Amino acid sequence: SVDCGMNVITAIESHHRNDNEDRKWRVRCGTLSGNSNVVVTPGSTSGWVNDHEQHFDFTCPTNQVLAGFKSEHKNRNWFKVKSGWRRWREWFKKVEDRKFEYVCVNVVN
């Protein structure tokens, strides 16, 4: 999870790792520069924006910016064996995915 507090996320970078089918994240927190009149106040938490194996698109509400996020990783592995007349067939399915929740803070001039 990432929590920038009353700062904001200024950069996000991720790289997929094939060995464990997951992402490694780098996140940078900072202030909103260039306008000394800007005030950042507590905002909202999105709740889970997706479930495992679902696509999603998230945008902070109007006048809010991203200040943090967390994710939950899920491994679901199962193995099925089916028998046919004089033959066996095997399936192995490995599902790994994340669901996400975001924290947005208010930006007030």
Side-chain angles (χ1 to χ4, degrees):
S1 83
V2 173
D3 183 0
C4 292
M6 286 296 103
N7 289 318
V8 299
I9 292 178
T10 58
I12 298 176
E13 179 183 342
S14 74
H15 297 283
H16 186 263
R17 296 191 47 186
N18 289 329
D19 59 334
N20 62 357
E21 287 299 321
D22 203 4
R23 291 195 164 271
K24 183 168 178 120
W25 297 86
R26 279 169 134 197
V27 178
R28 191 175 337 168
C29 298
T31 60
L32 293 173
S33 60
N35 187 342
S36 60
N37 296 328
V38 172
V39 176
V40 175
T41 62
S44 60
T45 301
S46 67
W48 297 115
V49 298
N50 67 308
D51 201 354
H52 297 102
E53 297 185 60
Q54 287 184 338
H55 295 283
F56 67 95
D57 183 8
F58 177 79
T59 303
C60 285
T62 302
N63 297 322
Q64 292 188 357
V65 294
L66 192 60
F69 66 89
K70 72 177 182 178
S71 68
E72 179 184 279
H73 185 258
K74 177 88 168 187
N75 287 336
R76 287 189 291 227
N77 300 317
W78 64 89
F79 187 76
K80 294 181 179 179
V81 178
K82 278 190 167 182
S83 63
W85 182 251
R86 294 188 181 176
R87 103 179 174 186
W88 289 88
R89 290 172 48 187
E90 302 173 30
W91 289 269
F92 176 74
K93 184 171 184 182
K94 185 175 181 183
V95 177
E96 297 193 37
D97 201 9
R98 288 189 175 276
K99 63 182 184 178
F100 290 88
E101 179 176 84
Y102 295 94
V103 176
C104 300
V105 292
N106 296 309
V107 178
V108 182
N109 274 331

